[in-house]
Amino acid sequence: MNSQKIGFIGLGRMGLPMMTNLLRSGWQVHVFDTSADACSAAQALGAIVEQSVQAVADSAETVMLSLPTPAIVESVLSQLVNGKQVSRVIDLSTIGIRAARRAQEIVSKHDIHWIEAPVSGGVTGASAGTLTLMVSCPAVLREAIEPVLRALGTVMYAGEAPGLAQAAKLANNMLSAAALVASSEAISMAVKAGVEPTALLGIINSSSGRNTATTHKIPNEVLSRRFQVGFANKLSHKDVTLCIEEAASMGIPMPVSVAIREMLAITTATFGDNADISDVARVLEQWSGITIEDKAA
């Protein structure tokens, strides 16, 4: 049993399975979430439920965050910095470059170290402990934090300065969304023309158009009609918006990203706030008057 205590705040679709893997790796985990159901689920798995953010920070030197927006991260930090034990914050959230730099300024005033570790791999990766963690922090902190991070997946460093891991994460998520939107659009055209979807994907995946949407998301979730990649379309829209805003702050136009964001907004408007990222294919299906499915299944 690892004697180190870890704090964990945010027990959503990603946070709860990540916290579970920390427990499996032997850490004592002190948790808090505004959802009583999430706290009950964590307690049933063996976590110690605290009654507030500060109570978590009173209990553990290292506190991890898995939260949905920059505003919520900043709100949590305003409470966390008053903790008696906390000396390191590891943020697993996707909040953008400027928000990460503000967060680092907030915690550093209280002699707390800031570590960014946004993740990629979705709920499946969070559950399996196979996430990619994009990390930026001072090199002197790496040895101390790596055992914790390795319980969640593969650690890859983006640099030492605050904001660098966020920049890498936003670039990755924009490309991931772009691949799915563009692939759904192109496949809809070919299916409308009469190409059978499974045959089409075989051709694409043996050719230069191959990408993660054509190899995984569309075969597994669209052809099957499950539409459950496990990443909310609304969160993808948030990440692409952050990417565009960060680029704009640096004077970089992103016209393709703007078009991707519009498709994600249309998907939310069509299928609601609970839409999965794969539901973008259903929008294209409706517009095209076709269905992208494996008719042999």
Side-chain angles (χ1 to χ4, degrees):
M1 178 74 176
N2 196 311
S3 61
Q4 186 179 358
K5 299 175 182 178
I6 301 293
F8 203 102
I9 298 170
L11 301 170
R13 295 182 71 188
M14 293 292 289
L16 186 62
M18 287 192 283
M19 184 280 305
T20 302
N21 281 322
L22 291 171
L23 287 172
R24 288 172 179 163
S25 295
W27 273 278
Q28 183 183 105
V29 187
H30 294 249
V31 303
F32 175 76
D33 193 281
T34 55
S35 166
D37 288 344
C39 288
S40 295
Q43 187 171 39
L45 291 166
I48 298 169
V49 176
E50 303 290 354
Q51 298 305 306
S52 67
V53 168
Q54 185 171 335
V56 172
D58 284 341
S59 303
E61 290 186 20
T62 300
V63 176
M64 307 181 85
L65 311 179
S66 179
L67 300 166
T69 68
I72 293 174
V73 169
E74 289 196 26
S75 174
V76 165
L77 290 178
S78 70
Q79 304 164 63
L80 181 148
V81 293
N82 296 314
K84 297 175 182 176
Q85 294 293 326
V86 60
S87 63
R88 290 186 291 264
V89 175
I90 301 176
D91 186 26
L92 305 162
S93 319
T94 302
I95 62 174
I97 302 165
R98 290 169 295 172
R101 290 171 179 168
R102 287 195 301 272
Q104 191 272 338
E105 290 175 359
I106 290 168
V107 301
S108 65
K109 291 176 182 176
H110 297 266
D111 295 323
I112 297 170
H113 295 294
W114 173 255
I115 299 108
E116 291 164 39
V119 302
S120 179
V123 175
T124 300
S127 299
T130 58
L131 294 168
T132 297
L133 295 98
M134 307 165 205
V135 181
S136 55
C137 68
V140 295
L141 297 177
R142 291 184 181 182
E143 184 177 353
I145 63 171
E146 277 212 15
V148 182
L149 298 179
R150 283 199 299 268
L152 307 181
T154 301
V155 181
M156 303 192 75
Y157 288 98
E160 294 195 45
L164 296 183
Q166 290 293 329
K169 176 64 189 296
L170 293 180
N172 177 79
N173 279 27
M174 195 286 289
L175 287 171
S176 180
L180 183 54
V181 171
S183 297
S184 298
E185 189 173 83
I187 289 168
S188 294
M189 177 279 297
V191 171
K192 182 74 171 182
V195 184
E196 194 276 322
T198 303
L200 175 62
L201 284 166
I203 291 166
I204 291 170
N205 289 332
S206 297
S207 307
S208 58
R210 184 175 186 267
N211 62 72
T212 56
T214 63
T215 58
H216 295 94
K217 297 183 182 75
I218 292 173
N220 295 338
E221 305 303 331
V222 178
L223 263 65
S224 69
R225 315 309 290 166
R226 282 192 298 261
F227 296 100
Q228 285 297 321
V229 168
F231 188 61
N233 181 75
K234 194 171 182 179
L235 287 179
S236 183
H237 181 271
K238 178 213 70 169
D239 292 350
V240 173
T241 298
L242 277 173
C243 185
I244 293 165
E245 291 174 349
E246 297 292 1
S249 74
M250 294 182 273
I252 303 169
M254 299 191 86
V256 174
S257 298
V258 170
I260 299 301
R261 178 177 62 180
E262 187 67 13
M263 278 301 304
L264 299 175
I266 290 167
T267 301
T268 297
T270 305
F271 295 108
D273 286 347
N274 294 323
D276 185 80
I277 182 65
S278 60
D279 283 319
V280 71
R282 289 206 285 165
V283 174
L284 272 300
E285 288 180 337
Q286 289 183 1
W287 291 357
S288 307
I290 53 92
T291 303
I292 304 168
E293 63 180 334
D294 183 358
K295 293 183 172 59

